[in-house]
Amino acid sequence: AQSVAQPEDQVNVAEGNPLTVKCTYSVSGNPYLFWYVQYPNRGLQFLLKYITGDNLVKGSYGFEAEFNKSQTSFHLKKPSALVSDSALYFCAVRDMNTGRRALTFGSGTRLQVQP
Amino acid sequence: DVKVTQSSRYLVKRTGEKVFLECVQDMDHENMFWYRQDPGLGLRLIYFSYDVKMKEKGDIPEGYSVSREKKERFSLILESASTNQTSMYLCASSLGTGTYNEQFFGPGTRLTVL
């Protein structure tokens, strides 16, 4: 079975400071990993994905994520937070080695950036 | 840009009613998905479809059914709505047979069952 955990319900950070939103996953094979963001009253938007290759993945709006196989983690990072980054962030995983076609999403982490 | 539209942003229904949620995508995507989003639970997959007339159950299919008669349209049906089906429903689509392609989401339908 595939699963993903986002251990923090909420992350608070001051504008201009670096931010990290944590994600760990569990799969039997190799993972496809994704980050999505949901701004207030809007649908989810794709941020970035890891399929294979370079462990550091760069995405939209200055976000990046690092795939760490030994720690089974895929933390989302940004060097300098903006107030406009305040949103709900979801990590998702798919096990490449199973027949399951769909993603499994985490419970979400609310990022609050204070001015 | 991919556009995924959902028939209603807000919907209020009564217990026992039959409810139809419609989703349309305009980019010829093979895969379409229905999720429900609840606070603290994230997104949970109800059903998905990888081709016309093809469907697979997700993690929480009980109380729901789906229909995909045309490639661009994927309908979620609540045969007899119950109060525990009050939730935000999100539709998504993605390209191709592999789900390593990102999913594109609609704006969501907030369903309240009284």
Side-chain angles (χ1 to χ4, degrees), chain A residues 21 69 74 97 100 110:
Chain A
V21 182
K69 189 169 185 177
F74 189 57
N97 293 45
R100 181 181 167 100
R110 187 165 299 281

Side-chain angles (χ1 to χ4, degrees), chain A:
Chain A
Q2 58 192 39
S3 65
V4 63
Q6 294 181 243
E8 302 156 316
D9 290 336
Q10 181 155 325
V11 170
N12 297 308
V13 64
E15 188 174 31
N17 283 0
L19 69 88
T20 299
V21 182
K22 295 180 180 178
C23 171
T24 58
Y25 66 89
S26 175
V27 295
S28 57
N30 292 313
Y32 295 141
L33 291 157
F34 299 77
W35 276 102
Y36 287 82
V37 59
Q38 186 176 38
Y39 296 104
N41 299 315
R42 293 172 66 177
L44 271 74
Q45 297 177 33
F46 168 77
L47 271 182
L48 52 80
K49 66 181 176 184
Y50 171 83
I51 304 300
T52 186
D54 195 347
N55 290 343
L56 185 64
V57 178
K58 294 188 183 295
S60 307
Y61 312 121
F63 283 93
E64 59 188 27
E66 186 167 11
F67 172 63
N68 187 317
K69 189 169 185 177
S70 62
Q71 297 186 4
T72 62
S73 67
F74 189 57
H75 302 331
L76 182 70
K77 300 183 179 186
K78 188 174 182 182
S80 179
L82 300 172
V83 173
S84 57
D85 293 330
S86 298
L88 189 55
Y89 291 81
F90 291 96
C91 182
V93 67
R94 183 203 166 197
D95 189 335
M96 291 164 53
N97 293 45
T98 70
R100 181 181 167 100
R101 298 169 182 255
L103 299 177
T104 297
F105 283 80
S107 56
T109 298
R110 187 165 299 281
L111 174 66
Q112 196 70 39
V113 182
Q114 285 110 10

Side-chain angles (χ1 to χ4, degrees), chain B residues 11-20 81 86 111-114:
Chain B
L11 209 52
V12 180
K13 295 293 182 180
R14 297 206 173 275
T15 301
E17 280 192 82
K18 191 169 187 176
V19 182
F20 293 87
T86 292
L111 173 66
T112 301
V113 183
L114 302 175

